[in-house]
Amino acid sequence: MAKHKTPLLDQLESGPWPSFVSDLKQEAAKRAKNEKGLELQIPKDVVEDLLGVLELSYKHGKTHWKHGGIVGVFGYGGGVIGRYCDQPTMFPGVAHFHTVRVAQPAGKFYSTEHLRKLCNLWDFRGSGITNMHGSTGDIILIGTTTPQLEEIFFEMSHNMNQDLGGSGSNLRTPADCIGQARCEYACYDTQDLCHTLTLEYQDELHRPAFPYKFKFKFDGCPNCCVASIARSDMSFIGTWKDDIRIDAEAVKAYVGGEIKPNGGAHAGRDWGKFDIQKEVVALCPTGCMKYENNKLTINNRECTRCMHCINAMPRALRIGKETGCSILVGAKAPILDGAQMGSLLVPFVEVNKDDGYQAIKDVVEGIWDWWMEEGKNRERLGELIKRQGFQKMLEAVGIDPVPQHVKEPRSNPYIFWKEEEVEGGWTRDIDAFRKDHMR
Amino acid sequence: MAFVSSGYNPDKPMENRISDIGPRHFEEFYPEVIKKNKGKWLYHEILEPGILVHVAESGDKVYTVRCGGARLMSTSLIEEICDIADKHCNGKLRFTTRNNIEFMVDREDKVAPLKQDLQSRKFAGGSFKFPIGGTGAGITNIVHTQGWIHCHTPATDASGPVKATMDVLFDDFQNMRLPAHLRVSLACCLNMCGAVHCSDIAILGYHRKPPLLDHEYLDKMCEIPLAIAACPTAAIKPAKVDFKGTEVKSVAVNNERCMFCGNCYTMCPSMPLADRDGDGIVIMAGGKVSNRISTPKFSKVVVAFIPNEPPRWPKTTEVIKKMVEAYAKGANKYERLGEWAERIGWERFFDVCEIDFTHHLIDDFRDPAYYTWRQTTQFKF
């Protein structure tokens, strides 16, 4: 018998899509039975109360959670978010219900051994409710009490070789796409770069020293499956400098209909026979492809690496061999001054594992130095770039301006010339001026 | 329940402390076939909706079965996922950026039993635990935020509208009839933990009433200068207010300047915005993050407000369904929703999606607004 009636939530149990309500109910039942005989460290009916408070929100059309207090583990300024219910008497099980962010492995690959350990720990010391995963990428453990926080951290760090993730004005837990682990488009090893930088910048991740949050995301190619260009202050997008590799035989096979275009992605509808001219050549944004006399050619110098032709014919076309990544900066969601997409800062940098990615670290640290010096409280990097100007950033990190930095040059001539750029400087004598120009 | 110590000694927090170790190394968790062929994949193919094969230079193949999942997940369900991975996949699995679960096997004959196993598992309420799909030119899982289950600033729920929407779009999770893939995202307030601003279709929680002012506690609970500085439109100023005969330090809000972003509430718990009638959903459309063919785009606001209608948000899902159907009917192969809208013109988009255009949809927020008005005589009737 459920502790709270949930007539509204119950309506979310039907339909084909996995029902979180059914899942919460099965978890509530599991805790009630407690077949493993655990000495549960937070209230047994915590999930019942979670369902209860959520039902109340469905009734009221409003949340019943309060701002977090300052809770955490010793020496870290992030990783735990305090959370309290605003109806603690009605729902005592979730009166204190903090979130723990757990650093996810790059690529989000897991062994069941690791996941089971995490589940056991969370059943014992928490609510048994998680997010797999949070928006930034962490494993999110939803709901525990303050005395459990150090215990959870101790068990994770001692028994699971597992650390917490980031929150607050820190480097947030970096995230990456599947990359070379299982994708032929990946131009660099996203997992290795993500993991290496995550370890390199543990201090920045755990101890708030930034003006505001800072996110790294790693996309192996311009398809941007982890949305780094929209969602990270610093976005690393795989690219290449040389030629797209063409397998002429495979091109023929696509044209002849032996291979389904786009890896079979359009199989749910009859789109007719594959037409390489219409579907590939004509859709190329730069018009750098030709299909003549049954032969596909690409003027690679004019290619902007949009990925369409490669996506459409993955068995015939492959990314180049001289690979690396582009670095874009300043993406963020709309709050406060409108959304920003990442802006291109470094058109191309080698992703060099052998020297520990030094060239990339130099860019990262240059940007951080500037932002930590100039950024206001709660000002994202993108907002600082807008406030001070793109040139200021280039100057601060020592990168020379190139036409690739802009979509188009400015259409106003209001250039903030610097004195040293103007012959003779700005110090002039009004009397000398008046000798030639009467008042 | 008695407190059970992990071994942590609160009197000596630094004793045996292990910190700054980061996540586990990814290689520990790779399936064998992934470890062996990393960086040497030649091509992939979607064999059927939700099932992919990747072929390596070595001739090895990895078969992936992709399942949707509610990202809000119990340890019971995670343990069930582990059981499946132990039974079929040598104890390895992965999650995708969009909250899908991927089970990988190294031989084709292992696919059918895995598929059958996944399809057979249902929750007590009748929904699938592991629906297979989410590949190619269809709709994959919705990325979303916490909503009413765990957040203090939401203007709508997250898991509920997502469940309701995915139920309505379920067929398109399991077939690939659309012109291109279509990404739906949900953020339960403007903070956009879910960063929905570049999605084909975005569901965004929004407040419409300026903050309430809890004068009695405001100065005690908040740093007034921080609350004032948090306002992007400078609508908040310090004020001395008479509270039951005593003068208290508080703030005053110029309601006409409020854009309901909730940033003040983030800084000051004595300025809550949440309201049953004020809060609801904004629908945005036409964004994308991929650089394919056209450059990445922001989503545009196409419906200014839909009231919260728990538990199933019928008006929201109806509008979304209409957009998906209009897009499916009108777009060219490979064309994303935003590219289609730009090709036919946004005036035509509202027409074919049967969405009313209202004054709310004309941008009036700072400089970028001008660039969204029409500076040409080219338009469609």
Side-chain angles (χ1 to χ4, degrees), chain A residues 27-28 30-46 120-128 148, chain B residues 1-4:
Chain A
E27 188 63 17
K30 181 179 97 180
R31 285 183 76 87
K33 274 193 208 148
N34 190 17
E35 279 175 351
K36 290 181 191 166
L38 297 173
E39 186 84 48
L40 297 173
Q41 295 291 290
I42 75 163
K44 196 174 195 174
D45 56 0
V46 52
N120 288 341
L121 174 63
W122 194 234
D123 284 343
F124 178 43
R125 297 194 180 275
S127 67
Q148 293 305 315
Chain B
M1 59 190 176
F3 183 82
V4 180

Side-chain angles (χ1 to χ4, degrees), chain A residues 220-232:
Chain A
C221 83
N223 281 330
C224 283
C225 290
V226 290
S228 69
I229 199 168
R231 304 192 51 187
S232 54

Side-chain angles (χ1 to χ4, degrees), chain A residues 14 17 23 27 41 58 63 67 76 83 99 112 116 123 151 158 184 191 207 262-263 279 337 378, chain B residues 2 4 6 16 20 24 30 44 46 74-76 86 93 150-151 157 163 263 265 292 334 366:
Chain A
S14 57
W17 190 251
D23 192 19
E27 188 63 17
Q41 295 291 290
Y58 271 56
T63 191
H67 279 67
Y76 279 9
R83 185 65 69 217
T99 304
T112 55
R116 284 186 200 277
D123 284 343
E151 309 299 324
H158 284 75
E184 66 270 27
Q191 265 123 64
R207 295 167 193 89
N262 217 99
E279 297 186 34
D337 201 18
R378 280 167 62 78
Chain B
V4 180
S6 60
N16 300 323
D20 299 88
R24 289 279 287 265
Y30 281 159
H44 75 279
I46 303 168
S74 71
T75 51
S76 308
D86 282 342
L93 65 133
H150 204 50
C151 182
D157 187 32
K163 160 76 174 149
N263 208 39
Y265 182 60
R292 184 176 188 173
Y334 304 111
R366 298 188 181 162

Side-chain angles (χ1 to χ4, degrees), chain A residues 113-131:
Chain A
E113 188 204 352
H114 190 63
L115 282 179
R116 284 186 200 277
K117 274 189 189 166
L118 194 67
C119 289
N120 288 341
L121 174 63
W122 194 234
D123 284 343
F124 178 43
R125 297 194 180 275
S127 67
I129 302 302
T130 78
N131 287 151

